[in-house]
Amino acid sequence: KPAKALPASREALSIFRDIDYRHGWQASSLFALIRAHLGKSEVDLALRAASQHLQRCRGRSDSAEEVYGLQVLSIALLADGRPDEALHSCREAKDLAEEAEDLLLQIGVRHSMMWVHFGSEDVELALEQMREAQGLARELGKRNEEAIAKHNLAFLYLQKKEYRRAKALAEESAALFAALEEKRNEGSSWLLAAKALGGGGGDQAKLQDAIGLCAHAQEVFAEARDLLGEYEASRMLATLSLRSNLTERALSAAERG
């Protein structure tokens, strides 16, 4: 909840600054702070916090922290309805990451650019960024980053209603997360696969398969003790069951949610 996250993220950021501990931790705390402000519709405060952090980063010869700061600033700018400035911030971050020859930073920037393009309703450019992120992840041998890229590609293809492609990518992503024992992310990918399978129409066979995937996602979330994930899966399971005229199962899923 934003109200509870705000003081915690502010304190975390203050501690990391006091001990001058960077390595992305300051940026992670800042990101949590920005999300909390945005969750409370405090866009001006989010912009101020992101801008102030970026100013601190500049001039310290810490290109990584500056890249992180620019990415967080892009989120605040996008929330303020300034997509062009958000994209400019991402491009500046991309240039810095490439100058540093840091492939992991470059992957992160492409994720930010994806969300900016998606927020501007340009799904094709968002897809381009994720394809590049996936390629960089493979080059770097980062299976976790490859799994995230596949998940985001699946999400974008789902928005384009390319259900078959979305489902295949979501299942590939889920398999990678499973191998990495990242249960929460695995559950999210299985749920995305269920959405793709259930989104293609009222075919009963597909709906039954989607219900199976959704139930599996619910089990994975339960193993991860992710109550929010379980709730989302149970809601979707209820919806799919109703579409498939499985009233008893729909009521059971709703009660569990």
Side-chain angles (χ1 to χ4, degrees), residues 47-229:
L47 280 167
R48 185 188 305 168
S51 298
Q52 288 176 349
H53 181 79
L54 188 57
Q55 289 173 3
R56 292 171 65 99
C57 293
R58 286 179 166 151
R60 292 195 312 188
S61 300
D62 190 341
S63 58
E65 205 64 35
E66 188 173 348
V67 168
Y68 295 139
L70 285 163
Q71 289 177 254
V72 175
L73 178 60
S74 73
I75 295 168
L77 288 167
L78 188 62
D80 196 37
R82 295 150 67 182
D84 291 342
E85 292 177 62
L87 187 57
H88 176 78
S89 180
C90 285
R91 284 172 175 160
E92 189 177 348
K94 182 181 178 182
D95 289 342
L96 284 171
E98 289 177 349
E99 285 175 17
E101 298 182 346
D102 189 321
L103 294 183
L104 198 55
L105 279 179
Q106 291 177 40
I107 291 170
V109 171
R110 280 165 174 79
H111 283 289
S112 296
M113 294 183 81
M114 182 207 87
W115 288 114
V116 171
H117 287 309
F118 180 72
S120 302
E121 299 183 354
D122 196 331
V123 178
E124 289 301 328
L125 285 178
L127 281 166
E128 182 181 321
Q129 295 303 318
M130 277 304 92
R131 292 188 193 106
E132 290 181 8
Q134 180 180 241
L136 289 170
R138 285 175 176 167
E139 183 179 343
L140 199 57
K142 289 287 187 180
R143 297 177 70 199
N144 174 271
E145 293 294 337
E146 183 180 353
I148 294 171
K150 283 180 179 290
H151 179 93
N152 286 341
L153 281 168
F155 168 78
L156 292 169
Y157 279 117
L158 186 59
Q159 309 313 304
K160 293 185 67 182
K161 298 183 179 180
E162 294 188 24
Y163 299 115
R164 183 176 298 179
R165 186 174 290 185
K167 175 179 174 290
L169 283 162
E171 289 178 334
E172 290 172 17
S173 174
L176 282 171
F177 283 131
L180 294 166
E181 298 185 352
E182 294 189 15
K183 291 292 184 181
R184 285 185 175 87
N185 287 334
E186 181 193 348
S188 295
S189 289
W190 284 124
L191 198 59
L192 191 58
K195 288 177 182 177
L197 192 56
D203 182 279
Q204 284 297 314
K206 287 184 178 179
L207 279 175
Q208 291 298 322
D209 288 342
I211 287 169
L213 287 176
C214 196
H216 180 60
Q218 191 176 40
E219 292 172 1
V220 173
F221 282 130
E223 289 177 24
R225 297 183 179 179
D226 186 338
L227 295 178
L228 188 60

